[in-house]
Amino acid sequence: MMENLAQILMLLSVAVTVVVAFQHFHIPTSIGYLLVGLILGPHTIGPTFNVPEFKTLAEFGVVFLLFTIGLNYSLPQLHALRHQVLGLGTAQVMLVTIVVTLVLWLAGLPASAAFVIGAVFAQSSSTIISSQLTEQGEQSSPHGRLGLAMSVFQDVTAVPFLVVIPVLGTAVGNLELAGALGWAVGKAVLAFALVFFAGRWLLRPLFQLVTRRRSAEVLTLAVLLVALLAAWTTSTLGLSLAFGAFLVGMMLGETEFRYQVESTIRPFRDVLLGLFFVGIGTLIDPGVLPDIWHWAVLGAVLILASKLLLVTAMVRMSGIVTQTAWRVGLLLAVGGEFGFALLAIALQADVIDVRLGQIALASVFFSMVAGSFLIRFNQAIAACLGGARHVEPTDLPAALDTVEPRVLIGGYGRVGHTIAVMLEDSGIAFMALDTDMKRVAQGQADGHQVVYGDISDPELLVAIQAERAALLVLSVDDFAVALQAVTHMRSAAPHVPIIARARDLESSSRLLAAGAAHAYPETIEASLRLGAFALKVLRVPGNDIDLLMQAVRDRDYEPVLEEDDTGKEGSEPSGKGQSSSE
């Protein structure tokens, strides 16, 4: 036990050091985890990490990755985008897989090994693409949105490989292979049916029961139970663990719990996925690099060239101008982390030998490094390749070109409902979040987009892509929750304005200090409205009343405070006194 603890401490120490350094230099952390595995692997000089249970634990990184992908792409979403990005993403994976498979098969590799390498080479890194686009300020550009969307959909289209690749290692003849593939597809259909019907009948009632407890601990346990139970189901049928997690994620993606579930699972996914990449890094043998480096470089060139040319051609044929097509191709040319996952499955199933696995590992690694530079200088390279033509927003597919400003509403009580009705009547898109299932159900009955979620959860803000919102309105009546939400929102999306509800002037001041653009104290506003009505009864002109109220607001309610201070001997201070009396 103590020996394993020492090993774990060594792993964590090296991982923290390397990942912090990589984040400082804006290098994708997935490459950092590979380096950690290389440093602690058996093929390098120095300490070696050797915990028997590590490999099994690291496999769950891919399980939770596929679970998260399923959450983001439920069946209705996949159906809605089948003619746009899904079509492009699927076609890219299929064409690259076919082209690379044919090239390697003609070069003398067995058909099954060539197919696996083709599937591995077809993957692109969503992590590298998104992080570099964000750093370069291109995440909302036409090529950025289309390229990132296609890279994410690649992960969805890679799911069938999870079913096919393990079969390739068990079948020998063509008839046996066809039978094994048919049996695997049949089991995949059975697994889908089991998860689909169980999800439709059981998942929503289960999570409704769990969320009534208002316990983050119970919710976390429920999410882990559901994800691992689905993974165990497909594993029992002879399929991969990740396939079951993906299926149940799709089912949960159709429920109102999607965003909170994603925020709950994210820490587990990120840590375990990091461990998975560490495990991949331990497989890399620098000692064989002198013998295979030329093949690895050729493999990296094959990855970059095939995807660049095929993606550019497909995007151009879809009606998008040449320069944008080249820039999308440059984004997707990079190798992908999911290729490592497929490679690990192939090695475990003995579909490819160790030497070929080393070449593929090095090829993907080199392509990720080189691809990072292609992404960084994509504009200059595209200008040289395709000419610097001005890109209009109409060049985008319809599904990506209609991004409406979205308002986030934290809390769907009396105030939140009123705001939602006003936004709906104004034709403004919004999404409300609440942790009370009765309010969530009422909102859905009202026809509003209301989902279960804690607006003060920083992981939830990431899950709902809070940085894309036009405005956040905090209507929760819990000051602590509102203050946490403002603080985390300022960190996650500093450019998004925040309007908050406050009970009194003290709460308003603290929310403003935390970063809210406006925080209206209800008690004082109620006094102002009462005074305004009194003046209206007394026949004071409406314009004068409006000017008086606005003057009080513009001076941060100073007249009200001064008036209250004059009689404070017989009353409480204005902030807390009004709050307690209401």
Side-chain angles (χ1 to χ4, degrees):
M1 177 65 184
M2 293 303 295
E3 182 181 351
N4 285 347
L5 180 58
Q7 293 271 314
I8 293 171
L9 290 174
M10 178 181 64
L11 170 64
L12 293 177
S13 300
V14 176
V16 169
T17 303
V18 172
V19 171
V20 168
F22 272 53
Q23 289 181 343
H24 177 74
F25 292 105
H26 303 288
I27 303 173
T29 55
S30 55
I31 299 178
Y33 283 118
L34 290 173
L35 180 59
V36 172
L38 179 62
I39 294 172
L40 299 179
H43 307 293
T44 54
I45 299 174
T48 300
F49 180 77
N50 184 24
V51 176
E53 297 81 7
F54 173 78
K55 184 178 179 181
T56 302
L57 182 64
E59 289 180 2
F60 286 101
V62 181
V63 171
F64 290 131
L65 172 64
L66 266 294
F67 179 74
T68 306
I69 292 171
L71 286 173
N72 286 289
Y73 294 100
S74 60
L75 284 174
Q77 290 172 308
L78 291 177
H79 184 266
L81 293 173
R82 66 192 184 279
H83 297 309
Q84 281 109 7
V85 183
L86 180 57
L88 288 173
T90 304
Q92 182 265 310
V93 172
M94 291 178 61
L95 284 176
V96 173
T97 301
I98 292 171
V99 168
V100 174
T101 299
L102 287 175
V103 170
L104 297 179
W105 180 62
L106 293 174
L109 284 184
S112 58
F115 173 77
V116 169
I117 301 300
V120 170
F121 283 11
Q123 306 306 311
S124 300
S125 173
S126 301
T127 303
I128 293 178
I129 294 172
S130 62
S131 62
Q132 285 205 219
L133 287 177
T134 302
E135 181 183 341
Q136 296 167 205
E138 299 178 18
Q139 69 273 19
S140 298
S141 63
H143 65 279
R145 282 187 284 159
L146 181 56
L148 184 57
M150 287 180 63
S151 71
V152 173
F153 268 93
Q154 284 180 3
D155 298 335
V156 178
T157 57
V159 170
F161 293 129
L162 299 175
V163 177
V164 174
I165 289 177
V167 174
L168 299 178
T170 59
V172 179
N174 291 334
L175 291 176
E176 184 181 353
L177 177 61
L181 286 175
W183 178 233
V185 171
K187 290 189 291 185
V189 172
L190 175 62
F192 177 80
L194 287 174
V195 175
F196 178 81
F197 289 109
R200 287 295 175 90
W201 293 337
L202 300 178
L203 283 181
R204 183 174 270 110
L206 171 64
F207 278 90
Q208 286 175 344
L209 176 64
V210 168
T211 52
R212 289 194 189 103
R213 308 304 305 169
R214 302 285 188 93
S215 170
E217 178 183 0
V218 176
L219 179 62
T220 301
L221 291 173
V223 172
L224 292 175
L225 171 64
V226 167
L228 296 179
L229 181 60
W232 174 81
T233 300
T234 53
S235 177
T236 303
L237 291 173
L239 304 170
S240 69
L241 293 167
F243 183 60
F246 173 76
L247 293 179
V248 78
M250 288 177 60
M251 297 301 104
L252 276 173
E254 300 180 31
T255 70
E256 61 271 27
F257 308 104
R258 166 194 161 189
Y259 296 107
Q260 190 65 55
V261 167
E262 183 178 351
S263 70
T264 300
I265 207 70
R266 185 182 295 272
F268 296 93
R269 184 202 68 183
D270 292 345
V271 172
L272 292 174
L273 195 58
L275 295 180
F276 170 77
F277 288 129
V278 171
I280 294 294
T282 61
L283 299 177
I284 301 175
D285 185 1
V288 302
L289 192 58
D291 296 328
I292 66 169
W293 70 269
H294 53 292
W295 295 114
V297 171
L298 282 175
V301 171
L302 182 58
I303 294 173
L304 297 171
S306 62
K307 288 198 286 189
L308 172 60
L309 296 176
L310 289 172
V311 170
T312 301
M314 286 188 303
V315 173
R316 184 68 187 92
M317 290 174 62
S318 69
I320 295 176
V321 296
T322 302
Q323 189 191 24
T324 302
W326 278 113
R327 297 182 77 173
V328 173
L330 289 165
L331 298 185
L332 292 174
V334 65
E337 303 95 335
F338 207 88
F340 290 130
L342 298 180
L343 200 56
I345 294 173
L347 286 169
Q348 186 176 5
D350 293 326
V351 183
I352 59 176
D353 58 41
V354 176
R355 185 173 186 274
L356 183 58
Q358 289 291 329
I359 295 174
L361 279 172
S363 298
V364 175
F365 180 77
F366 289 162
S367 73
M368 291 172 75
V369 175
S372 299
F373 288 98
L374 295 182
I375 297 173
R376 185 167 300 280
F377 301 106
N378 70 86
Q379 183 176 10
I381 298 173
C384 295
L385 294 173
R389 176 181 170 181
H390 179 67
V391 181
E392 296 293 338
T394 52
D395 291 324
L396 283 177
L400 295 176
D401 195 34
T402 56
V403 179
E404 292 184 89
R406 184 180 59 159
V407 176
L408 296 176
I409 303 175
Y412 192 76
R414 171 180 50 84
V415 177
H417 171 76
T418 302
I419 295 170
V421 171
M422 296 174 68
L423 292 173
E424 182 182 41
D425 291 344
S426 301
I428 298 174
F430 66 91
M431 180 173 69
L433 301 100
D434 204 296
T435 56
D436 188 330
M437 275 309 302
K438 291 182 179 179
R439 293 177 178 176
V440 173
Q442 181 59 51
Q444 294 179 345
D446 294 337
H448 296 158
Q449 187 183 6
V450 184
V451 299
Y452 179 87
D454 181 0
I455 193 63
S456 65
D457 182 354
E459 295 293 341
L460 180 72
L461 297 177
V462 176
I464 64 176
Q465 297 181 311
E467 72 280 358
R468 297 181 59 184
L471 173 68
L472 169 62
V473 180
L474 288 173
S475 59
V476 293
D477 58 0
D478 188 321
F479 170 72
V481 171
L483 187 61
Q484 286 184 343
V486 172
T487 302
H488 294 316
M489 188 67 178
R490 282 281 68 88
S491 175
H495 60 283
V496 177
I498 303 172
I499 299 175
R501 168 190 180 187
R503 294 290 296 172
D504 50 41
L505 193 60
E506 179 185 356
S507 301
S508 173
S509 300
R510 293 180 63 183
L511 290 170
L512 291 172
H518 300 282
Y520 296 104
E522 290 181 336
T523 51
I524 300 180
E525 282 293 326
S527 302
L528 287 177
R529 288 195 295 270
L530 182 62
F533 187 76
L535 293 175
K536 185 177 181 180
V537 172
L538 296 172
R539 307 293 179 96
V540 175
N543 290 338
D544 292 344
I545 296 174
D546 293 339
L547 289 173
L548 285 170
M549 294 180 66
Q550 192 58 47
V552 173
R553 295 189 182 107
D554 290 342
R555 285 183 283 170
D556 293 331
Y557 306 99
E558 286 180 3
V560 178
L561 291 177
E562 291 170 0
E563 182 65 27
D564 187 70
D565 286 341
T566 60
K568 65 181 178 180
E569 291 183 358
S571 63
E572 298 180 9
S574 62
K576 293 184 179 180
Q578 289 176 6
S579 177
S580 61
S581 63
E582 188 176 56

